Amino acid sequence: KPRVRHVDFFGHHEALRARGRKQEDKFQRLQVIRAVAAVHHPSLDIEIGTFLLQCFPQQLVLTLAFTGASSSYTGSSLQSHVCGQFPVYCQAPHVSLELNYDQPAPPSDLLLCSWYMWCERLEQWTGGGLPMISYYGGYPLNSWSVRSGVRTVQEELRAMHAYHERRPDLGVSSPVLLLSDAPFTSEFLHSYTGIRLPVYRPLASYLPAHYAPSLDAVLLLESKSSSFLSRSGVLYDLLLSFCGKDFSPEFKKQNSFLSFQDIASHLAIVYWPGPHSWVLMQLREMYSMNMPLLVP
């Protein structure tokens, strides 16, 4: 049985937000904390920052520093994609900018990152010496550097050992809290490093929408982790031939980008067939929206 510690889980993010409000009086004398997050993934890299904002909205100012990646869903820059979906996190007092090593980093008190290569780059940009939270999602083989043979898994995880020596219980001046997104992730990392990380299960508290069906249709949601046959539409045509033309409700295939509000208006979501990737971030978001999910 996996021996993975779990960060205390208090329930849905609404309960967490209420808990944060009860605790706020204790933090009134604290100055505002300026957090800088390196954003390379549209959900993983905003999970911790937006969760902290939900709990302590008066004590945290968030800067989203985008790495220059593009959105696989819209084709636009990741910055445009995230700020278009979640504008509240890109508007004053919060800031969105490009992580540009030729420009000075913004003043910061706390660093947020996911994969360790981005943690290292964030520390180099800001000058280091700051507390940091790393939220590792997926697994090392997701890295194109590892897939292409440019780096080994051991090289990809080298920084993890250094950060482990800065864990909060050691009382160092710039502690690092290392978290993972799932028990399997933690066990996978342990198999390479001998270090087991505590798990913080993603709540996706940044989502602006929840299940509110207004359409008599089940959405076949596109996934970048689906097979070529799924993306080509061949299996969609096969599904329709199984159901027949009089089947109700209607099966509707996603043909373009949909906002979370658009997705929430459907009766349910079906992945046909289920995506082969166990680290599909999209699935967690749909679950957090209370969407009925069919994953055959």
Side-chain angles (χ1 to χ4, degrees):
K1 182 178 179 180
R3 294 172 293 173
V4 177
R5 290 190 298 119
H6 290 257
V7 175
D8 286 344
F9 181 73
F10 303 108
H12 192 265
H13 68 83
E14 292 291 346
L16 285 164
R17 193 181 309 156
R19 179 184 174 89
R21 283 194 291 266
K22 290 179 180 178
Q23 297 293 328
E24 255 188 288
D25 290 341
K26 298 181 180 180
F27 296 94
Q28 288 300 326
R29 289 175 291 178
L30 288 179
Q31 64 180 3
V32 170
I33 296 174
R34 301 162 298 183
V36 178
V39 183
H40 189 72
H41 188 280
S43 61
L44 180 68
D45 289 320
I46 65 173
E47 173 71 39
I48 297 298
T50 56
F51 165 73
L52 292 175
L53 272 175
Q54 295 285 347
C55 292
F56 307 108
Q58 305 302 320
Q59 275 67 49
L60 193 72
V61 172
L62 182 63
T63 294
L64 300 180
F66 292 87
T67 64
S70 60
S71 168
S72 58
Y73 293 98
T74 64
S76 62
S77 71
L78 188 59
Q79 184 174 3
S80 298
H81 172 75
V82 171
C83 292
Q85 286 277 77
F86 319 115
V88 66
Y89 301 119
C90 301
Q91 299 170 353
H94 312 299
V95 179
S96 71
L97 48 77
E98 185 175 340
L99 201 164
N100 187 340
Y101 300 104
D102 296 327
Q103 298 294 328
S108 50
D109 306 298
L110 173 66
L111 304 181
L112 307 173
C113 51
S114 54
W115 286 12
Y116 306 125
M117 60 177 289
W118 295 115
C119 298
E120 288 183 299
R121 294 179 186 182
L122 192 58
E123 286 202 297
Q124 292 169 3
W125 188 44
T126 58
L130 295 171
M132 185 165 64
I133 301 174
S134 167
Y135 184 51
Y136 199 101
Y139 58 116
L141 303 184
N142 274 13
S143 169
W144 286 110
S145 297
V146 173
R147 290 185 184 185
S148 61
V150 174
R151 303 178 75 182
T152 64
V153 173
Q154 286 76 13
E155 291 171 330
E156 190 80 7
L157 299 178
R158 173 184 53 79
M160 181 180 177
H161 294 276
Y163 291 144
H164 185 63
E165 296 303 317
R166 291 166 53 189
R167 58 191 184 273
D169 61 297
L170 295 181
V172 296
S173 59
S174 55
V176 178
L177 177 60
L178 298 178
L179 302 172
S180 74
D181 66 337
F184 190 95
T185 307
S186 190
E187 290 296 332
F188 198 101
L189 293 173
H190 173 261
S191 69
Y192 280 97
T193 65
I195 300 171
R196 277 195 176 91
L197 301 185
V199 173
Y200 163 85
R201 294 186 181 274
L203 299 175
S205 58
Y206 51 83
L207 290 174
H210 295 282
Y211 183 52
S214 60
L215 302 175
D216 188 28
V218 174
L219 179 65
L220 275 76
L221 201 60
E222 182 181 275
S223 167
K224 300 303 178 183
S225 298
S226 297
S227 66
F228 171 77
L229 283 176
S230 298
R231 297 195 302 271
S232 68
V234 172
L235 292 178
Y236 172 65
D237 294 335
L238 181 63
L239 177 62
L240 295 184
S241 69
F242 286 160
C243 297
K245 63 180 181 179
D246 297 325
F247 185 84
S248 180
E250 172 191 4
F251 283 102
K252 178 181 175 183
K253 184 176 181 291
Q254 179 186 2
N255 293 313
S256 60
F257 174 75
L258 293 175
S259 69
F260 287 106
Q261 290 87 343
D262 293 332
I263 294 172
S265 66
H266 291 79
L267 286 177
I269 289 171
V270 60
Y271 289 99
W272 170 254
H276 64 263
S277 174
W278 63 270
V279 294
L280 182 64
M281 303 297 173
Q282 186 187 74
L283 192 66
R284 305 166 180 188
E285 292 175 327
M286 299 303 107
Y287 183 84
S288 296
M289 288 168 59
N290 298 324
M291 292 294 299
L293 296 170
L294 305 172
V295 193

